Amino acid sequence: TIDSLAKGVLGNLGTGTLTISTGGAVTNVNANLGSSAGATGNGTVNGTNANWASSVDVPIGDLGSGTLTISGAGTASAANVYLAYGAGSTGSATVTGTGSTWNAGNNLLLGFGGTGSLTIAQGGHVTDSTGAIGNSAGANGTASVDGANSVWNNSTALYVG
C-alpha cells in the first residue's frame, strides 16, 4: 500500500509507469499521467482488491500522453477525471472485465483540450455524475461501450460534442 498526501505524477518530464496488482492499493490527493508536453504516464490497476483512489482530480494526458487500464476486477476512483486535458495532449482509459470498476466522481471529460478516448468492455463499469465527449472547441473525444454487462452510468448528464 502506498499512501500519499500529495500529487502522484506518472511521466513528469519522461516516461513513468505504475502497476497496482492484486491486493495492492495506492491513495493520493490527485494523480497526473503525462504531465508535461512529450511526457508519457501509464497506470494499470489489475486484479481483485487492486485499488487506486485519488481524492481530487486526475488528468490522464495533462499536457503529454497518458493511459489508464483497469482490469481483472481492479477498481479506481477520483473526484474528476480529464482524458486529454491540454491542447495537443492524448489520454485514454480502458475498463475491462467483470468486476472492474471506475468511479470518476463528478465529471468524466473525454477530450477536454486534446484527444481523449474511453473503452468499456467485457463487463467493465464506469460511473460519474456528468460525462462529456469532446468537451471543448477543438477537442476530440470518443467512447466505446461493448459487451454484455458493460456500463457507463452518467447520473446527471452526458454531453456529446
Side-chain angles (χ1 to χ4, degrees):
T1 299
I2 299 173
D3 291 313
S4 172
L5 296 176
K7 179 186 239 181
V9 178
L10 305 178
N12 186 38
L13 298 174
T15 298
T17 299
L18 173 65
T19 301
I20 305 167
S21 298
T22 301
V26 173
T27 59
N28 52 276
V29 174
N30 65 337
N32 190 312
L33 288 74
S35 180
S36 304
T40 301
N42 302 302
T44 300
V45 183
N46 180 38
T48 304
N49 296 322
N51 180 263
W52 189 355
S54 298
S55 59
V56 186
D57 296 341
V58 177
I60 300 172
D62 190 0
L63 297 174
S65 174
T67 63
L68 175 64
T69 302
I70 303 166
S71 59
T75 62
S77 61
N80 297 288
V81 176
Y82 308 93
L83 293 171
Y85 184 80
S89 65
T90 59
S92 65
T94 300
V95 182
T96 184
T98 301
S100 300
T101 61
W102 192 17
N103 181 346
N106 298 314
N107 298 293
L108 177 53
L109 310 177
L110 317 178
F112 188 76
T115 300
S117 65
L118 172 66
T119 301
I120 306 166
Q122 299 174 354
H125 284 211
V126 175
T127 60
D128 59 68
S129 178
T130 301
I133 302 170
N135 190 70
S136 305
N140 297 297
T142 60
S144 171
V145 181
D146 185 44
N149 300 314
S150 299
V151 175
W152 184 10
N153 181 358
N154 305 276
S155 62
T156 301
L158 173 62
Y159 299 99
V160 181

